[in-house]
């Protein structure tokens, strides 16, 4: 979106915006307000995604530590726990972080975590730990 200004009769100024998708079509004030709201919603979604990503990365680190496995396998463990318990990965990651810090893990998630860790350990090539 490109902003500009044009003069009208007398000394008054009128501001306008040009759409990037449709460069020959000026945007109305309503269009600008809607675009402003859309951009703020997108910013909120990106900030939430960034926070979720950080929590998941930290939980992967915790699973790496107590599962003694590479990060890729730890991600698979978190994903498996999420799928088997029907709980979002971000929520499972948050619970795993609390568990790693001495908190409790809900029974269904704890059992799914134990099983996922055991499955990953069974797939590990001999001689690695």
């Amino acid at each position: 979106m490109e902003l500009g200004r044009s003069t009208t009769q007398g000394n008054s100024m009128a501001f306008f915006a040009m759409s990037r998708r449709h460069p020959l079509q000026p945007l109305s004030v309503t269009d600008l307000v809607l675009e402003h709201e859309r951009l703020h919603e997108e910013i909120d979604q990106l900030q939430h995604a960034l926070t979720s990503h950080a929590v998941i990365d930290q939980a992967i680190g915790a699973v790496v530590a107590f599962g003694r496995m590479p990060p890729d396998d730890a991600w698979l463990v978190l994903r498996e726990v999420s799928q088997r318990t029907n709980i979002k990965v971000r929520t499972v990651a948050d619970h795993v972080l609390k568990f790693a810090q001495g908190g409790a893990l809900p029974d269904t998630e704890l059992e799914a975590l134990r099983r996922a860790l055991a499955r990953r350990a069974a797939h590990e090539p001999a001689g690695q730990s």
Side-chain angles (χ1 to χ4, degrees):
M1 173 182 340
E2 294 184 29
L3 295 177
R5 60 183 170 178
S6 65
T7 57
T8 59
Q9 292 185 356
N11 293 329
S12 303
M13 290 283 205
F15 290 91
F16 66 93
M18 301 301 288
S19 168
R20 287 184 189 224
R21 288 184 217 144
H22 308 287
L24 299 177
Q25 177 183 351
L27 297 173
S28 69
V29 171
T30 302
D31 292 336
L32 289 172
V33 169
L34 290 173
E35 180 68 4
H36 181 263
E37 289 172 356
R38 186 193 68 76
L39 289 171
H40 274 283
E41 185 176 316
E42 186 175 337
I43 289 168
D44 290 344
Q45 290 172 351
L46 290 170
Q47 287 173 334
H48 179 74
L50 185 61
T51 301
S52 293
H53 187 72
V55 169
I56 292 168
D57 281 349
Q58 291 172 16
I60 288 171
V63 174
V64 163
F66 56 73
R68 296 182 183 162
M69 63 182 58
D72 288 346
D73 287 350
W75 161 246
L76 293 174
V77 165
L78 287 177
R79 196 176 77 185
E80 182 179 330
V81 171
S82 171
Q83 290 172 344
R84 292 190 182 274
T85 60
N86 199 29
I87 299 170
K88 291 183 178 187
V89 172
R90 201 269 190 218
T91 303
V92 169
D94 191 47
H95 293 167
V96 166
L97 281 178
K98 289 176 183 170
F99 179 68
Q101 296 168 353
L105 190 61
D107 290 341
T108 56
E109 289 175 67
L110 181 59
E111 185 58 32
L113 180 61
R114 285 182 177 146
R115 289 181 182 189
L117 289 170
R119 271 190 284 283
R120 284 285 137 211
H123 288 27
E124 185 177 280
Q128 292 185 358
S129 52

